[in-house]
């Protein structure tokens, strides 16, 4: 992760920030002790497995009945995000401040199934999840936020974010917040927002 931040413009009125983050994870997962039904049926049929005294079976027999399986899983995310903000003008309750930003993110996952595809269902590992995940996508986003101290009593906050996915989905998520300073010792806040969950 890395980033820079600072100010620019006349009287340093503009604040800026640029952040970059990248993460990569590799996981080697080995499962042991999961039987394959077809192999169990085979040793039952030929009588080669000692069910009365399982400890009498050698390692080669166990590796045939329940062979270990290893999967290599990988995931990666990289994101670049930039924001700028500045005060706009004075309101009765204070200074109105606005910020806008852009973001780009790349996501990737490779998580193969330990079972893979087998036409014979009895040739699959028993109790090992057959689900696999594989894919990648880019996400481009734009967002904004505005704080408006309308009076000493009322503070209005407006924000929104637009996300566009390379897999064909897009969404705008708005947010409206109101803060009421009722007295010196009581402050009320209310917020309405919308969101979404990407598949």
């Amino acid at each position: 992760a890395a980033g820079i931040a600072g100010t620019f413009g006349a009287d340093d009125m503009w604040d800026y920030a640029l952040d970059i983050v990248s993460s990569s994870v590799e996981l080697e997962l080995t499962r042991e002790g999961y039987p394959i039904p077809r192999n169990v049926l085979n040793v039952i049929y030929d009588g080669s497995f000692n069910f009365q005294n399982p400890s009498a079976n050698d390692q080669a027999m166990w590796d045939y009945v329940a062979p270990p399986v290893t999967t290599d899983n990988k995931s990666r995310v990289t994101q670049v995000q930039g924001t700028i903000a500045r005060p706009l003008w004075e309101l009765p309750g204070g200074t109105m401040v606005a910020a806008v930003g852009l973001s780009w993110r790349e996501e990737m996952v490779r998580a193969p199934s330990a079972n893979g595809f087998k036409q014979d269902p009895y040739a699959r590992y028993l109790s090992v999840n057959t689900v696999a995940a594989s894919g990648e996508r880019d996400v481009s986003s734009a967002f904004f936020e505005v704080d408006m101290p309308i009076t000493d009593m009322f503070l209005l906050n407006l924000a929104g974010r637009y996300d566009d996915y390379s897999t064909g989905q897009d969404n705008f998520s708005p947010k409206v917040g109101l803060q009421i300073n009722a007295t010196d010792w009581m402050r009320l806040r209310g917020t309405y927002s919308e969101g979404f969950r990407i598949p």
Side-chain angles (χ1 to χ4, degrees):
I4 58 172
T7 60
F8 67 94
D11 299 324
D12 291 330
M13 293 288 287
W14 293 87
D15 295 316
Y16 72 88
L18 178 65
D19 298 293
I20 300 172
V21 62
S22 183
S23 172
S24 179
V25 177
E26 296 187 14
L27 172 66
E28 184 179 273
L29 181 60
T30 300
R31 297 171 176 89
E32 297 178 343
Y34 291 92
I36 294 179
R38 176 63 65 202
N39 296 1
V40 174
L41 293 172
N42 289 341
V43 297
I44 291 173
Y45 177 76
D46 63 22
S48 58
F49 191 90
N50 189 338
F51 286 95
Q52 289 184 333
N53 182 15
S55 62
N57 295 295
D58 61 14
Q59 189 60 46
M61 178 58 69
W62 283 110
D63 288 344
Y64 175 75
V65 172
V69 58
T70 300
T71 55
D72 293 318
N73 304 272
K74 298 179 181 180
S75 65
R76 184 180 67 246
V77 61
T78 301
Q79 177 170 294
V80 180
Q81 177 172 288
T83 60
I84 57 172
R86 68 159 294 169
L88 296 179
W89 54 78
E90 294 297 319
L91 295 177
T95 304
M96 178 178 176
V97 179
V100 296
L102 297 173
S103 173
W104 175 84
R105 185 172 74 251
E106 178 192 47
E107 304 169 344
M108 182 279 288
V109 63
R110 296 280 185 276
S113 169
N115 265 312
F117 175 75
K118 297 179 176 68
Q119 290 190 347
D120 179 3
Y122 295 102
R124 300 172 185 160
Y125 285 91
L126 192 64
S127 300
V128 172
N129 195 339
T130 60
V131 175
S134 179
E136 58 186 61
R137 64 187 175 197
D138 299 336
V139 189
S140 300
S141 306
F143 45 92
F144 73 92
E145 184 171 4
V146 181
D147 278 331
M148 293 182 286
I150 299 172
T151 67
D152 290 338
M153 187 175 179
F154 295 101
L155 173 64
L156 182 64
N157 174 268
L158 301 175
R161 182 182 182 94
Y162 174 75
D163 296 292
D164 182 52
Y165 287 75
S166 62
T167 47
Q169 302 85 11
D170 65 329
N171 187 77
F172 176 73
S173 303
K175 175 186 171 186
V176 179
L178 180 64
Q179 176 178 298
I180 301 173
N181 301 318
T183 67
D184 290 340
W185 53 269
M186 184 171 65
R187 180 176 295 168
L188 305 174
R189 293 180 179 175
T191 302
Y192 170 82
S193 63
E194 295 180 2
F196 78 111
R197 184 170 62 183
I198 190 70

